[in-house]
Amino acid sequence: LVPLKSKTVAAKEHHGTTPHKHRITLIEHDHLRRCAEDLSRLAPETVFIIDEVHKAMNNSQRTDCALLLSHICRQFVAFTGTPIVDTKVFKIIRWLQQLVPFTVTDSNFWVAVNGMISRKITTGIVVERDE
């Protein structure tokens, strides 16, 4: 994972940690907020993939940044093996709300959870295979 420990542009450029178009940039959850401005600028043309999304469910800068990026990116994919960490389902509702065409509440969130199981996205990438 790219640590993005340096906050200066020159240091990020030197270490190759500044996000760029047409590149895959891996960022640890804890460092997401440090490059939020760069990521927000690129997000509209980006597929945002977040692994261990349950780490981005508390009220924190990390969660705010991840949710913002998921809202403004072209497509997003969220992975987790632990969708519900505790009994506070409101934490996952903010993520689920983006998956379904209805308002997610405490009483219907399980219906929305079904949207996590499978989602088809179009990346625009064409794969040509030679037989």
Side-chain angles (χ1 to χ4, degrees), residues 5 40 68 110:
K5 293 184 182 202
S40 294
L68 171 68
W110 281 114

Side-chain angles (χ1 to χ4, degrees), residues 53-68:
V53 73
H54 62 273
K55 292 181 179 180
M57 289 192 191
N58 291 319
N59 290 327
S60 66
Q61 289 178 355
R62 168 181 45 201
T63 298
D64 291 345
C65 182
L67 281 167
L68 171 68

Side-chain angles (χ1 to χ4, degrees), residues 11-12 32 37 63 84 87 96 123:
K12 285 195 280 186
L32 193 58
E37 188 175 314
T63 298
I84 300 175
T87 60
L96 293 174
T123 63

Side-chain angles (χ1 to χ4, degrees), residues 67 70-71 76 93-100 104 119:
L67 281 167
S70 69
H71 281 286
F76 86 95
I93 286 176
R94 294 179 290 181
W95 288 97
L96 293 174
Q97 189 59 61
Q98 298 177 71
L99 302 176
V100 295
V104 182
R119 176 73 53 177

Side-chain angles (χ1 to χ4, degrees), residues 1-130:
L1 295 176
V2 176
L4 288 174
K5 293 184 182 202
S6 175
K7 293 183 182 181
T8 67
V9 173
K12 285 195 280 186
E13 287 288 347
H14 173 73
H15 296 292
T17 58
T18 298
H20 293 282
K21 280 178 114 175
H22 312 294
R23 288 192 192 165
I24 296 172
T25 305
L26 301 174
I27 304 163
E28 292 177 339
H29 290 83
D30 289 335
H31 302 293
L32 193 58
R33 67 185 186 280
R34 293 183 183 169
C35 58
E37 188 175 314
D38 291 333
L39 292 171
S40 294
R41 182 175 38 81
L42 297 172
E45 300 176 29
T46 301
V47 176
F48 177 58
I49 301 171
I50 182 168
D51 191 18
E52 305 293 340
V53 73
H54 62 273
K55 292 181 179 180
M57 289 192 191
N58 291 319
N59 290 327
S60 66
Q61 289 178 355
R62 168 181 45 201
T63 298
D64 291 345
C65 182
L67 281 167
L68 171 68
L69 292 171
S70 69
H71 281 286
I72 63 175
C73 69
R74 188 176 58 155
Q75 296 281 345
F76 86 95
V77 178
F79 295 108
T80 185
T82 316
I84 300 175
V85 180
D86 53 32
T87 60
K88 299 177 182 115
V89 297
F90 71 88
K91 292 178 179 182
I92 195 171
I93 286 176
R94 294 179 290 181
W95 288 97
L96 293 174
Q97 189 59 61
Q98 298 177 71
L99 302 176
V100 295
F102 55 86
T103 302
V104 182
T105 65
D106 289 356
S107 60
N108 72 358
F109 83 97
W110 281 114
V111 176
V113 167
N114 286 319
M116 291 174 40
I117 307 303
S118 141
R119 176 73 53 177
K120 181 178 179 180
I121 66 168
T122 303
T123 63
I125 297 172
V126 177
V127 178
E128 295 181 12
R129 300 182 191 272
D130 293 332

